[in-house]
Amino acid sequence: QVQLVESGGGLVQAGGSLRLSCAASGDIFNINDMGWYRQAPGKQRELVARIIGGRSTNYADSVKGRFTISGDNAKNTVYLQMNSLKPEDTAVYYCNAAVVTYSYTTRNYWGRGTQVTVSS
């Protein structure tokens, strides 16, 4: 089993910043990539940012230039620095990881989510 634990969500005013963290633990041989998705009420879950192989990154167009994803391979942790937040960034943010287990099976795991609310 693999667990993803998110932290760092909260309430912030527009223009403010938040930093999300996601730590993976458990049956982990390697992590191929980790990322953040978000889901606003009444909307589908969407990709926010992803880091692949600890280096390559991609972002949703809506967050480019404002959000930065980074990772700490030694800690199996991924971070999302969110600056210049807007009310439309309000959503539940979910961590996702593509994990290779010690049985050499690759599986996709999700965290429980952390709420980010941006007030206008």
Side-chain angles (χ1 to χ4, degrees), residues 84-108:
S84 301
L85 282 160
K86 304 175 181 180
E88 50 264 43
D89 295 317
T90 296
V92 178
Y93 284 69
Y94 295 92
C95 179
N96 175 270
V99 175
V100 181
T101 66
Y102 280 102
S103 59
Y104 301 110
T105 301
T106 300
R107 294 181 179 176
N108 210 28

Side-chain angles (χ1 to χ4, degrees), residues 11-74:
L11 173 64
V12 65
Q13 288 187 334
S17 299
L18 284 174
R19 188 187 192 217
L20 305 183
S21 300
C22 172
S25 63
D27 183 14
I28 300 171
F29 174 74
N30 188 50
I31 298 178
N32 289 339
D33 58 88
M34 292 184 77
W36 292 93
Y37 290 71
R38 67 186 181 187
Q39 188 167 17
K43 295 188 176 181
Q44 289 188 332
R45 191 172 297 188
E46 62 176 2
L47 172 70
V48 177
R50 197 156 193 90
I51 184 165
I52 302 166
R55 292 187 178 183
S56 176
T57 59
N58 57 64
Y59 296 90
D61 288 342
S62 59
V63 306
K64 283 180 181 177
R66 300 188 297 122
F67 291 10
T68 302
I69 190 169
S70 60
D72 185 332
N73 292 338

